[in-house]
Amino acid sequence: MEEVKKIIVVDDNALIRKVIVRILNQKGGFEVQTADSGLECLEKVDEFQPDLIICDIMMPGIDGFETCRRLKKSPTTTHIPVIFLSAMNETADKVQGLEEGAVDYLTKPVQKAELLARIKTHLTISSLRRSLESSKDEYRGLVHVMCHDMGNYLTCVHAYGELSKTIKNKNYATLEKYNDRMFVSSERAINFLEKIKEFEATKDAKVSLKLNEYNLLDMLQESQLVFENKLMAKNVELDFLGVDMSHIVKVDREWFVLSVMNNLISNALKFSFEGGTIFISSTVENSKLTLCIKDEGIGMVKSVLDKVFKTDTTTSIKGTSGEKGTGFGMPLVKRWMQKFEGSIDITSKHQSEFTTDHGTSIYLSFPI
Ligand SMILES: Nc1ncnc2c1ncn2[C@@H]1O[C@H](COP(=O)(O)OP(=O)(O)OP(=O)(O)O)[C@@H](O)[C@H]1O
Ligand SMILES: [Mg+2]
């Protein structure tokens, strides 16, 4: 069955509204609302969330141009295609309409076939645009994973390689331990490249998820291994005592460890002070399992907290030891949690306001 498309018809002339609504209802597949002024349309738009707006130009109060301008200004409505209704066949009107951000215009009196054809065209264009945007997001996520998350594994291999060079007196036990770490990290990186190849192979820019039930503590320990070096270097402790050994979550293991756990632990570590502790715990309440990653680091100021999941602005600042970042980690974590049908919440107290009990807690919730 085809999806019902929502349209708002804006005209101060009741007869014109009626004619258009009748054409749309006869055709079927539309849910239509009307507005007799630009302001009424702006009031309705947030709640109704139309797929398209048909708007008269000359109206009392704010005219069609101003209505369109306001729609285009707001990030929540800027994507909605607007088709103008112009009474006269005036080129100046049409040009101004297109300049204000309208996608098309119709001349009154409205012809049924033309009205339906234009609506169809613009609904198709707008749905294509949306799917392009979503694959752009998928690719952006992928590039982040490649550069950032895979980087963690390589850094780990590199660090142990370097440490191996400092081993003296044929200390084979230590060498073996380092070799083991390098082996595990490089194996993870190789497995991951396989997943990325799969992703490329599907070509529809959708990551195929293999959701299964995994032990939470197990995955946390895997992530710990990647950061072992950095944790030691900063003398930060990971405390898993609050994690229930029996807790299971339904995720795609590789993506969860690599892109969710590793990002969150990397942040907690990056923004902790030397000698600090990161407390990880899990609880079950109201048919939700919640994993909490709590650090006692610098915390976030409100302006960072408000924007931390946005991809269009960066909230990235350097860590307490000058560690650099890109600001892509958190938006990615949120996207993954949505794919796993979970959610993410943050509470944070910045050290500038809370001199003693500052820090950040990240809560990941999964339905059970
Ligand atoms: N645990 C935390 N404590 C304090 N601030 C945090 C914490 N986690 C995130 N932030 C704030 O949110 C910003 C964005 O985090 P995000 O993980 O998206 O990017 P990043 O860590 O800066 O870069 P990247 O993850 O790409 O290396 C951080 O730069 C920091 O300002
Ligand atoms: Mg980060």
Side-chain angles (χ1 to χ4, degrees), residues 144 148 263-264 266-268 270-271 295 298-300 304 308 315-318 324-331 348 360 362:
H144 184 271
H148 180 275
N263 265 322
L264 295 178
S266 124
N267 282 350
K270 181 155 69 170
F271 298 107
D295 66 62
I298 56 174
M300 297 183 215
V304 167
V308 78
T315 47
S316 194
I317 57 166
K318 282 190 184 162
K324 282 189 204 137
T326 61
F328 281 161
M330 292 303 276
S348 192
T360 301
I362 311 277

Side-chain angles (χ1 to χ4, degrees), residues 235-364:
N235 188 24
V236 169
E237 200 189 327
L238 263 188
D239 178 338
F240 292 136
L241 288 177
V243 181
D244 189 316
M245 276 166 63
S246 69
H247 281 170
I248 302 280
V249 288
K250 198 170 176 189
V251 290
D252 183 307
R253 186 180 176 116
E254 263 105 353
W255 288 114
F256 183 71
V257 173
L258 194 96
S259 251
V260 178
M261 277 333 319
N262 289 3
N263 265 322
L264 295 178
I265 292 180
S266 124
N267 282 350
L269 173 60
K270 181 155 69 170
F271 298 107
S272 279
F273 296 103
E274 287 220 33
T277 304
I278 299 166
F279 297 93
I280 308 194
S281 57
S282 64
T283 47
V284 167
E285 216 177 65
N286 303 330
S287 49
K288 270 200 299 197
L289 189 157
T290 302
L291 172 69
C292 172
I293 297 153
K294 176 178 186 292
D295 66 62
E296 299 172 332
I298 56 174
M300 297 183 215
V301 288
K302 189 171 179 304
S303 60
V304 167
L305 191 55
D306 287 345
K307 284 188 291 202
V308 78
F309 296 121
K310 297 229 163 86
T311 46
D312 49 353
T313 57
T314 177
T315 47
S316 194
I317 57 166
K318 282 190 184 162
T320 51
S321 302
E323 302 97 321
K324 282 189 204 137
T326 61
F328 281 161
M330 292 303 276
L332 210 64
V333 168
K334 181 162 183 173
R335 270 157 52 78
W336 283 114
M337 285 308 291
Q338 285 166 343
K339 286 183 203 269
F340 303 146
E341 284 165 17
S343 58
I344 176 166
D345 287 300
I346 308 179
T347 59
S348 192
K349 293 179 180 169
H350 193 255
Q351 59 171 357
S352 61
E353 280 179 83
F354 300 85
T355 42
T356 51
D357 63 338
H358 46 80
T360 301
S361 295
I362 311 277
Y363 301 90
L364 301 181

Side-chain angles (χ1 to χ4, degrees), residues 82-268:
V82 176
I83 298 179
F84 274 134
L85 287 173
S86 114
M88 312 135 283
N89 208 350
E90 272 187 21
T91 312
D93 258 6
K94 291 172 188 169
V95 171
Q96 188 181 349
L98 296 174
E99 275 170 2
E100 301 294 355
V103 291
D104 215 337
Y105 54 83
L106 283 159
T107 310
K108 293 195 259 190
V110 171
Q111 306 295 320
K112 181 177 170 183
E114 189 187 5
L115 172 75
L116 293 175
R118 302 232 167 168
I119 289 176
K120 189 172 166 205
T121 304
H122 292 294
L123 286 175
T124 308
I125 293 175
S126 115
S127 106
L128 282 175
R129 213 202 56 224
R130 266 201 308 277
S131 83
L132 262 179
E133 262 158 27
S134 112
S135 41
K136 198 177 83 193
D137 279 353
E138 291 280 342
Y139 275 110
R140 195 194 271 160
L142 195 67
V143 171
H144 184 271
V145 168
M146 307 242 340
C147 304
H148 180 275
D149 306 334
M150 294 269 292
N152 282 329
Y153 288 129
L154 284 179
T155 310
C156 193
V157 174
H158 185 258
Y160 282 112
E162 192 150 41
L163 277 175
S164 302
K165 290 199 284 189
T166 64
I167 294 177
K168 301 210 169 68
N169 308 326
K170 300 198 165 125
N171 186 343
Y172 289 119
T174 313
L175 196 58
E176 203 171 315
K177 182 182 140 197
Y178 291 171
N179 262 331
D180 204 49
R181 299 282 197 274
M182 287 195 269
F183 180 77
V184 171
S185 265
S186 52
E187 192 176 50
R188 294 257 165 260
I190 292 164
N191 285 348
F192 214 76
L193 281 176
E194 284 305 315
K195 276 190 98 88
I196 290 172
K197 277 193 231 157
E198 259 170 52
F199 172 97
E200 256 302 302
T202 63
K203 282 291 176 215
D204 62 351
K206 285 269 173 294
V207 177
S208 55
L209 293 181
K210 295 196 182 80
L211 294 182
N212 267 311
E213 296 186 336
Y214 296 102
N215 184 279
L216 197 55
L217 191 58
D218 231 37
M219 292 190 285
L220 284 163
Q221 278 162 348
E222 186 180 324
S223 183
Q224 177 181 30
L225 223 97
V226 175
F227 293 103
E228 207 175 36
N229 257 296
K230 288 185 186 166
L231 286 161
M232 264 185 330
K234 218 168 167 177
N235 188 24
V236 169
E237 200 189 327
L238 263 188
D239 178 338
F240 292 136
L241 288 177
V243 181
D244 189 316
M245 276 166 63
S246 69
H247 281 170
I248 302 280
V249 288
K250 198 170 176 189
V251 290
D252 183 307
R253 186 180 176 116
E254 263 105 353
W255 288 114
F256 183 71
V257 173
L258 194 96
S259 251
V260 178
M261 277 333 319
N262 289 3
N263 265 322
L264 295 178
I265 292 180
S266 124
N267 282 350

